[in-house]
Amino acid sequence: GTVPRTITRYRDICAEEMASPQDWSVQDVLDWLDKALSSGSFNGHVETYKHFFASHFIDGASLLELTPDMIRKMGIHAVGHALGIARLISELKSGGGSGITVRRSSLIRTELPEGLILCMGNPLLDISAEVSEAFLQKYEVKPNDAILCEDKHKPVYVELEKNFAVSYIAGGSTQNTARIISWMLQKKNVVRYMGGVGKDDYAKRLKESAVSEGVDVHYMEIDEIPTGTCAVLITGSNRSLIANLSAANHYKVDHLLLPENQKIMEQARFYYMAGFFLTVSPPSIQLVAKHAAAHNKVFSMNLSAPFISQFFDGPLLDALPYVDYLFGNESEAEAFADRQAWENLSIGEIALKISRMPKVNTQRDRIVIITQGSSDTIVAGRGEIRQYPIVLVPKEKIVDTNGAGDAFAGGFLSQILLGRPVEDAVHAGHYCASMVIQRSGCTHPPKPEFK
């Protein structure tokens, strides 16, 4: 059983922990089929049926919901076989299963179809350059500031391009995470992304940058509003940000409702959105979230910033019942707790309380992941709290911590897509964050070395 509010150190968790069917990965289900169908009338059909299950990404939670009719629609047309598999699943649900047990598998899902995950957010073209302190003072920007663009800041983007050696990066929180997922998986077009851009050169650069990193973008192009940009002003080890959302702030659910984009949404099995998107298109979030819950797919979000919980708590609380994985950091968790009038709770207790909030799709538990900078990462769910030590990076090697949270979410989700357990996902998140903070911006080496 699980012990509420008990801290369990990762190093004390047995790597061969027995997983319940609800928690099985796709590979665990295939292992179970190997054993469950090993005799009788299924002989000669096991590999074919395993292929059907794998191609439909049937994990443990999905397995337990299968009916004979659903099994036949997967391609197992023999009525007797469909009924036989349904009977075995029923035994598994009742705690039987003919004595068959499956241990948590470490085998990676090898088939990653295009569009497996859909990410939606606010796309911004990061325009990055090294500038002087005088340049910051000219635009009334402080070192390490992160501000929204006002009229006095608007000339900064043109001046950067005219007078400095700039680099262009496909940015915005969700798009950063999408790029990291793609980098970790090293396969193009597994990740699809939607958001609002203008019809201008910045949009072309944004698309070129994202596509070059394997992300399949489907932007909503908006007339007469420029593409969102973020001036990244580097002064030594400091990095100041001036964000101009522009077209990103005008994304509409009408774009998602287009037949071609509905197909993209329906093809995906996983979804991710940063909390910043709550300020732009709550109807889009609700559409995707409800689809995910109705079809037992995985829906993930990020708290993103304290102001989201403080000023957009309505849309956030509307979305939360659909969230399977929720990311955040300690200040964001505290802001959420303050807004809910939860008092005298530790970060772990806040995460656990969020994990227990009402949920629409009860076939999946909510897992809440809270990073804490250089302190252990908290993971809460299924009635318990766990802590995972981070990958320590020497202080002198840290260049920029701004993209660490986006990178962590990308690394984490890359392993969830592969069917790996949460423990592996946390380690991948730590790895990605440790890589990104040693570079300027949310960038990465050519290839990951995560094992």
Side-chain angles (χ1 to χ4, degrees):
T2 57
V3 182
R5 301 187 180 182
T6 296
I7 302 296
T8 307
R9 300 290 298 187
Y10 174 73
R11 62 174 176 264
D12 295 329
I13 298 170
C14 178
E16 287 296 311
E17 179 184 355
M18 192 71 72
S20 68
Q22 171 74 25
D23 299 327
W24 285 356
S25 67
V26 173
Q27 186 59 47
D28 292 332
V29 171
L30 300 183
D31 292 345
W32 174 77
L33 285 171
D34 250 340
K35 298 174 182 179
L37 308 184
S38 61
S39 61
S41 62
F42 295 108
N43 282 338
H45 298 279
V46 176
E47 291 305 316
T48 299
Y49 291 173
K50 283 172 61 181
H51 171 75
F52 290 147
F53 273 70
S55 64
H56 285 82
F57 295 98
I58 303 298
D59 58 12
S62 302
L63 177 73
L64 299 180
E65 297 303 314
L66 289 179
T67 64
D69 185 55
M70 293 166 67
I71 293 168
R72 292 186 68 191
K73 287 180 179 178
M74 287 167 52
I76 302 174
H77 298 301
V79 176
H81 284 189
L83 290 172
I85 293 173
R87 178 181 55 78
L88 291 170
I89 294 171
S90 180
E91 292 177 1
L92 190 65
K93 290 168 69 174
S94 65
S98 304
I100 296 170
T101 59
V102 175
R103 288 189 178 273
R104 179 169 289 153
S105 173
S106 61
L107 192 60
I108 300 173
R109 176 184 291 145
T110 55
E111 294 297 324
L112 292 170
E114 292 186 359
L116 181 60
I117 183 169
L118 171 62
C119 301
M120 298 185 71
N122 303 332
L124 303 176
L125 181 65
D126 286 352
I127 305 174
S128 178
E130 293 187 10
V131 301
S132 65
E133 293 284 350
F135 190 86
L136 293 187
Q137 293 169 10
K138 176 180 178 180
Y139 286 101
E140 300 179 24
V141 180
K142 300 175 183 177
N144 286 326
D145 225 349
I147 59 175
L148 290 176
C149 179
E150 301 176 24
D151 287 342
K152 64 184 178 183
H153 301 123
K154 287 183 178 178
V156 72
Y157 308 98
V158 173
E159 186 170 351
L160 280 178
E161 293 178 305
K162 183 178 179 181
N163 298 328
F164 297 89
V166 301
S167 60
Y168 298 95
I169 302 169
S173 180
T174 302
Q175 196 161 225
N176 286 340
T177 296
R179 293 190 298 105
I180 293 295
I181 296 171
S182 184
W183 173 64
M184 285 289 281
L185 297 178
Q186 290 289 294
K187 186 175 180 182
K188 292 183 178 180
N189 301 334
V190 173
V191 186
R192 286 179 172 149
Y193 177 86
M194 292 184 191
V197 299
K199 294 182 177 180
D200 51 28
D201 287 340
Y202 282 160
K204 293 176 183 177
R205 288 184 181 273
L206 189 58
K207 183 173 182 178
E208 288 170 0
S209 178
V211 169
S212 71
E213 296 193 62
V215 179
D216 183 17
V217 297
H218 295 263
Y219 296 136
M220 176 183 180
E221 295 184 348
I222 301 168
D223 290 318
E224 300 179 358
I225 302 177
T227 297
T229 50
C230 184
V232 182
L233 311 178
I234 302 168
T235 51
S237 60
N238 297 319
R239 183 172 178 260
S240 303
L241 309 176
I242 307 175
N244 185 9
L245 294 181
S246 294
N249 208 32
H250 293 268
Y251 184 88
K252 303 298 181 186
V253 71
D254 296 353
H255 178 258
L256 183 56
L257 289 170
L258 293 173
E260 60 269 30
N261 293 332
Q262 280 289 284
K263 184 177 180 180
I264 288 171
M265 183 187 76
E266 291 166 0
Q267 285 179 340
R269 299 279 300 176
F270 300 83
Y271 307 90
Y272 174 75
M273 302 175 191
F276 296 119
F277 200 50
L278 290 163
T279 72
V280 173
S281 188
S284 299
I285 296 173
Q286 285 292 306
L287 183 63
V288 173
K290 290 177 180 178
H291 170 81
H295 295 84
N296 196 26
K297 297 179 180 181
V298 178
F299 183 73
S300 306
M301 287 197 72
N302 202 311
L303 292 174
S304 294
F307 80 85
I308 297 296
S309 293
Q310 293 164 345
F311 303 112
F312 294 89
D313 57 314
L316 175 58
L317 293 177
D318 287 344
L320 193 57
Y322 300 95
V323 174
D324 299 303
Y325 291 99
L326 182 69
F327 300 90
N329 63 29
E330 72 275 33
S331 63
E332 294 156 5
E334 289 172 344
F336 184 92
D338 288 344
R339 187 62 177 169
Q340 304 308 309
W342 297 347
E343 298 180 349
N344 302 317
L345 296 180
S346 67
I347 297 299
E349 290 168 336
I350 292 170
L352 185 62
K353 194 160 185 173
I354 295 173
S355 75
R356 289 170 165 167
M357 292 179 74
K359 196 167 185 297
V360 173
N361 181 12
T362 56
Q363 299 175 52
R364 298 182 184 276
D365 294 305
R366 180 182 297 118
I367 306 297
V368 179
I369 308 102
I370 304 296
T371 58
Q372 302 186 98
S374 59
S375 299
D376 292 358
T377 293
I378 300 289
V379 178
R382 302 181 183 124
E384 66 178 358
I385 304 165
R386 292 185 178 184
Q387 289 187 190
Y388 298 81
I390 67 160
V391 176
L392 287 174
V393 176
K395 188 175 181 180
E396 62 271 16
K397 290 188 176 182
I398 297 175
V399 175
D400 179 4
T401 60
N402 280 296
D406 298 338
F408 177 89
F412 185 102
L413 289 170
S414 73
Q415 303 308 293
I416 297 300
L417 265 61
L418 289 169
R420 284 180 163 170
V422 168
E423 289 83 356
D424 291 352
V426 173
H427 291 319
H430 287 162
Y431 167 77
C432 291
S434 72
M435 291 294 101
V436 163
I437 65 175
Q438 296 181 63
R439 306 165 70 91
S440 179
C442 193
T443 59
H444 49 72
K447 288 190 175 181
E449 297 180 355
F450 178 75
K451 301 296 184 182

